[in-house]
Structures are given as C-alpha cells and as structure tokens.
C-alpha cells in the first residue's frame, strides 16, 4: 500500500512538475536565449550532485524508525537524530566554505564552461548554494517520513517545488528586467528551501516531542555525545554519491566537451525523462522500509526480480510514448528553438529503464551487510560511467554520457546485485533472523 500511495503521489506531482517545467522552459527560452537556459540547467543540477548531504548517516534513521515501537519516546532514535543533525550541519558549513572559495577564485566560471562567461553566473551560483545550504540543515524530516512508510507525504511536499519555481521565474522575468536573467535558478533553490521548511514543521508536529528534543541537543557537543551513525553511513555514502555524480555530471561533461546547444538539448529531454526517473525513485525507495519491516518480522517471502522487470517494462513503455509524441512535445516545450533527436530520446530511455531495474534489487539488500556489499559495485558504476562519458562525448556527442551510464548500470550493478541476492537469499528473506548488528551502538 505504501508503494501504491507513493506511486500515486509521484504520478500526480510528476504531471504538475512536468507541466510547470515545460512552462518554465518556454518562458526562459522565450524571454532570454539558449545560453541563459544552459546556465539555468547547469545551476539547477547542482543539488542532484549533492544528494549525500548526510554522508549516508540518514540510513540509520530510516531503519530505526521503520522498526521502532514508539518513535515519540524512543531515546536511541532521539540520539540518532541528534547525530544525523550534526552531520547535516557540518556538511552545510563545509559546502558554504567551498562555495565562497569558488566565487572568489573564479571556480564557478570555469566549471560552467561557455555558460560561465555570462555576466552574473558566478554570483548566481553562490546565492543558489547559500539557499541550498540552509535547506540541508533541515534535512532529517524526509528520512523520518520514509522510515514511517509515509514516502507519499515526502513526494507531495517536494511536489510544491516546481509550481513555486514557476512563480518565482515568472516574477523575475516580468518585474526584474534583463539584469535578472542570470539569476533565474534562484527561484528553484528558494522553492526547495520553502519545501524543506514545510516538511520539517510537518514532521516536528506529528512526532512531537521527538524533533524539538533532538534539535535542542545538536549543539551540545560535549554533554550529549549521541550515537554511532557512520558505521552504516560510510557504506551508504558510497551509494548516495555514485548515481548522482554519474548522471548529474553528464551536463558538465557536455559543457566541457560539447556545446551550449548540447547542454540545452540534454536539459529539455531530461525534463521528461528525469520526471519518469522520479516516478521510479518514489516507488523504489518506498520498498526499502517495506522490505526492512517484513524482514524484521520474518514475513518476507519473495525476491525482487519480478518488481525489477515491472519497473523496467513500465519505463520502456513510457519511452515509446515519449518517442511517439516527441515531434509535437519538444517543439511545444522549446517553441521550435531546439531539436531533440530520436537517438537522444532512445538513449535517455535506455538509461532510465536500467535505473528502474536496479531500484528493487538495491532496496532488497538494504540491511547492513547488503549496504556494505553495494559499495564496490556502485563506486565502480560511477567510475566506469564517468570515464565512458569523457571518452564517448567528443566522439558521438550528447548520447555518449547516456550510453556510458547504461553500460555501467548493467555491468556494475544489475549483474552483481542479482548474483548477491541469489547467494544470500535465506538471509535476505529473513530465514536466518534479523542480524543484531543492524542497530547502531552507542558511543561511550
């Protein structure tokens, strides 16, 4: 039921996000030019490269909340939230230091390639990351909801981002004049901060006094030592880093070895296919606490292979539909300013289809031994995809990074995960009982 609710919520928000994204793209391309849209596309991609803001420690919260008898009074859970909150605060602080260095040294301009030469590009990046850093400090909320099997609420709250972004871009284009063209991405980051505030307040109220008590202890470093969270965090970090870097870096590879038109074409096609990826992610991540709870109770009866095939098949069908309507869809999105080629559509569809196939497999092995196993395959996937992207992009253009990730997903994740599940089937189904090591130990 949780997966169905998450899927329904994602379907609703996907439609809203897609419509708002199309309108936003049309406004930007209509009022500015391809270069400014390329800059906007590069800026809004940065958070997708930084999904590891808790350094993987949030996995402890998901598992702990999913198996807790009463989260309102669970002392260990309160200490775990305190520890994860400290990790988020340190990450946000470190990110702002790097942000400032990139602004002062001209690093932002170099990173964006041709788009970095647009006046105001570096300052726009600095302001965007500042807003993102503020959002990071509130990040425990969606991990708690995920552990409660309320992922649909996370999706609905985050679904506000696209409409609010659309409103912000419209306001800046309408009343800001051309001097605001470089800063349009700030609307997206402001919308994300607003969503984080709403989600944090929702969780704080529904789980009171859990969040207020935990937050009071965050800055009490000496008197409240918290608990170990990085024993799971470090292996989880490797997973959280890999896919965002492998996929998010594609635009930057194109910015360095391609043209602004390549970046813009990727951004337009990505609006559709990353919306589909969001649908897959919603249904896939919802499986994590479901598998964990069933395994904990000894009620897990089947493996993830059928789900994997269903996920992949659904994306294959969706890719066919996108290809069928592509001439009208992308002409409408870009107002005829940009062509999205059939090969780009098929390569995007292949990448998202294989990503969909991985999700049920990965979520099935999210106990502590499984999380640790996934480290090497996921790191290998990122390394192989980035190397292939750099090699293939100068040769075959925009489809190079997409083919690189697709190949890496098959060789480095789908095949190893399937072998691991087959070899450890009894443990993963809960036949050997729940490992005692699944609960983090206290420090001191």
């Amino acid at each position: 039921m949780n997966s169905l609710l998450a899927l329904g919520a994602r379907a609703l928000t996907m439609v809203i996000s897609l419509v708002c994204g199309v309108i936003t793209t049309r406004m930007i391309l209509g009022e500015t030019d391809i270069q400014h849209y390329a800059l906007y596309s590069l800026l809004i991609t940065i958070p997708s490269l930084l999904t590891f803001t808790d350094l993987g420690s949030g996995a402890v919260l998901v598992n702990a909340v999913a198996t807790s008898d009463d989260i309102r009074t669970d002392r260990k859970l309160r200490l775990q939230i305190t520890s994860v909150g400290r990790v988020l605060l340190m990450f946000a602080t470190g990110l702002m230091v790097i942000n400032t260095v990139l602004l002062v040294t001209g690093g932002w301009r170099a990173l964006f390639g041709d788009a970095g030469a647009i006046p105001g590009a570096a300052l726009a990046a600095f302001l965007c990351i500042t807003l993102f850093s503020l959002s990071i400090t509130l990040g425990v909320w969606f991990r708690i909801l995920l552990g409660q099997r309320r992922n649909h609420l996370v999706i609905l709250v985050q679904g506000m981002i696209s409409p609010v972004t659309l409103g912000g871009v419209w306001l800046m284009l309408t009343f800001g004049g051309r001097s605001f063209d470089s800063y349009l991405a700030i609307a997206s980051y402001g919308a994300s901060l607003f969503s984080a505030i709403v989600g944090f307040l929702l969780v704080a109220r529904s789980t009171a006094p859990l969040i207020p008590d935990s937050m009071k202890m965050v800055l009490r470093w000496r008197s409240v030592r918290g608990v170990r969270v990085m024993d799971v965090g470090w292996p989880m970090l490797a997973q959280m880093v890999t896919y965002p870097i492998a996929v998010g870096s594609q635009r930057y590879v194109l910015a360095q070895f391609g043209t602004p038109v390549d970046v813009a074409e990727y951004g337009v096609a990505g609006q559709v296919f990353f919306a589909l990826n969001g649908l897959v992610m919603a249904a896939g991540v919802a499986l994590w606490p479901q598998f964990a709870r069933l395994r904990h109770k000894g009620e897990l009866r089947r493996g993830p292979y059928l789900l994997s095939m269903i996920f992949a098949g659904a994306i294959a069908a969706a890719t066919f539909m996108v290809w069928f309507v592509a001439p009208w869809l992308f002409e409408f999105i870009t107002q005829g300013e940009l062509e999205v080629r059939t090969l780009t559509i098929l390569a995007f569809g292949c990448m998202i289809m294989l990503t969909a196939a991985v999700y049920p497999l990965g979520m099935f092995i999210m106990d502590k031994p499984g999380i640790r196993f996934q480290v090497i395959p996921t790191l290998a996937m990122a390394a192989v995809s980035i190397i292939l992207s750099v090699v293939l992009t100068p040769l075959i253009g925009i489809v190079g990074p997409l083919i690189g990730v697709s190949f890496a997903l098959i060789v480095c994740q789908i095949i190893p995960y399937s072998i691991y599940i087959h070899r450890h089937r009894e443990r993963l189904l809960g036949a050997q009982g729940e490992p005692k090591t699944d609960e983090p130990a206290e420090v001191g």
Side-chain angles (χ1 to χ4, degrees):
M1 178 60 71
N2 180 47
S3 293
L4 291 177
L5 287 173
L7 193 61
R10 176 58 72 182
L12 173 63
T13 57
M14 183 185 74
V15 172
I16 295 173
S17 297
L18 188 57
V19 171
C20 292
V22 166
I23 297 173
T24 301
T25 299
R26 283 175 59 87
M27 285 197 303
I28 296 174
L29 287 173
E31 296 294 330
T32 61
D33 50 39
I34 290 178
Q35 286 72 27
H36 279 89
Y37 178 74
L39 174 62
Y40 174 84
S41 178
L42 289 168
L43 285 172
I44 64 173
T45 304
I46 295 175
S48 69
L49 296 170
L50 299 172
T51 57
F52 50 92
T53 54
D54 62 2
L55 301 182
S57 61
V60 168
L61 295 185
V62 177
N63 288 332
V65 171
T67 57
S68 177
D69 294 327
D70 184 1
I71 63 172
R72 293 175 182 267
T73 59
D74 192 323
R75 181 178 178 274
K76 176 173 283 189
L77 177 59
R78 188 180 299 117
L79 292 174
Q80 288 170 334
I81 294 174
T82 299
S83 299
V84 174
R86 289 170 178 169
V87 173
L88 291 169
L89 183 60
M90 289 187 291
F91 187 95
T93 302
L95 182 60
M96 278 305 301
V97 172
I98 296 172
N99 187 27
T100 303
V101 171
L102 289 175
L103 176 67
V104 173
T105 62
W108 283 123
R109 178 171 180 172
L111 183 63
F112 294 152
D114 292 341
I118 297 175
L123 180 58
F126 176 82
L127 295 175
C128 287
I129 298 304
T130 299
L131 293 175
F132 181 58
S133 297
L134 293 174
S135 302
I136 289 173
T137 61
L138 305 175
V140 296
W141 70 275
F142 64 85
R143 293 156 175 90
I144 294 174
L145 285 179
L146 179 58
Q148 290 180 298
R149 293 174 295 165
R150 300 167 72 192
N151 194 37
H152 58 286
L153 291 182
V154 177
I155 295 167
L156 292 173
V157 171
Q158 293 180 336
M160 298 186 297
I161 294 175
S162 290
V164 176
T165 299
L166 172 60
V169 170
W170 178 79
L171 288 172
M172 295 174 76
L173 288 173
T174 303
F175 301 105
R178 298 285 70 84
S179 59
F180 278 76
D181 288 352
S182 300
Y183 303 94
L184 297 177
I186 291 175
S188 176
Y189 285 84
S192 297
L193 178 58
F194 174 73
S195 170
I197 293 172
V198 172
F200 186 84
L201 293 176
L202 174 67
V203 171
R205 181 175 180 180
S206 65
T207 62
L210 178 65
I211 298 298
D213 288 351
S214 300
M215 293 300 101
K216 289 177 184 177
M217 297 188 292
V218 167
L219 297 179
R220 294 163 57 187
W221 299 87
R222 294 185 178 180
S223 59
V224 181
R225 299 183 62 186
V227 296
R228 289 175 59 195
V229 292
M230 295 311 295
D231 55 340
V232 173
W234 291 122
M236 189 66 191
L237 174 61
Q239 296 185 54
M240 297 176 72
V241 167
T242 50
Y243 185 77
I245 288 180
V247 176
S249 63
Q250 292 179 345
R251 300 191 201 212
Y252 296 93
V253 172
L254 289 171
Q256 297 296 327
F257 300 101
T259 67
V261 174
D262 290 333
V263 177
E265 181 183 356
Y266 182 98
V268 171
Q271 279 193 331
V272 176
F273 283 99
F274 288 131
L276 292 175
N277 189 57
L279 190 64
V280 169
M281 184 173 66
V285 171
L287 295 173
W288 177 3
Q290 183 175 334
F291 284 144
R293 193 169 187 86
L294 290 174
R295 184 180 296 119
H296 181 72
K297 296 167 67 176
E299 298 176 358
L300 195 56
R301 297 288 181 261
R302 66 182 65 181
Y305 300 113
L306 179 59
L307 284 173
S308 182
M309 289 187 289
I310 292 173
F311 276 42
I315 295 301
T319 299
F320 173 79
M321 292 301 300
V322 172
W323 169 79
F324 184 75
V325 302
W328 302 279
L329 174 63
F330 292 116
E331 183 176 359
F332 174 76
I333 293 175
T334 66
Q335 301 188 58
E337 296 288 333
L338 190 67
E339 178 188 4
V340 177
R341 291 160 288 182
T342 298
L343 192 58
T344 302
I345 295 171
L346 296 178
F348 245 119
C350 180
M351 182 184 74
I352 302 302
M353 180 186 71
L354 293 170
T355 301
V358 169
Y359 260 102
L361 304 179
M363 293 301 104
F364 190 72
I365 52 178
M366 286 299 288
D367 61 346
K368 185 178 288 187
I371 290 174
R372 288 174 174 169
F373 161 77
Q374 293 184 57
V375 172
I376 293 178
T378 52
L379 288 175
M381 187 277 291
V384 170
S385 63
I386 291 174
I387 291 171
L388 288 178
S389 296
V390 173
V391 171
L392 294 176
T393 299
L395 299 176
I396 58 178
I398 189 174
V399 300
L402 301 169
I403 293 174
V405 174
S406 298
F407 176 83
L409 285 169
I410 295 173
V411 174
C412 301
Q413 288 191 284
I414 293 178
I415 293 175
Y417 286 10
S418 299
I419 295 173
Y420 182 87
I421 291 170
H422 177 73
R423 289 182 175 178
H424 298 273
R425 181 179 176 83
E426 288 190 7
R427 191 199 83 236
L428 292 169
L429 289 177
Q432 298 178 355
E434 190 76 6
K436 293 181 180 180
T437 54
D438 274 357
E439 292 187 6
E442 292 192 28
V443 175

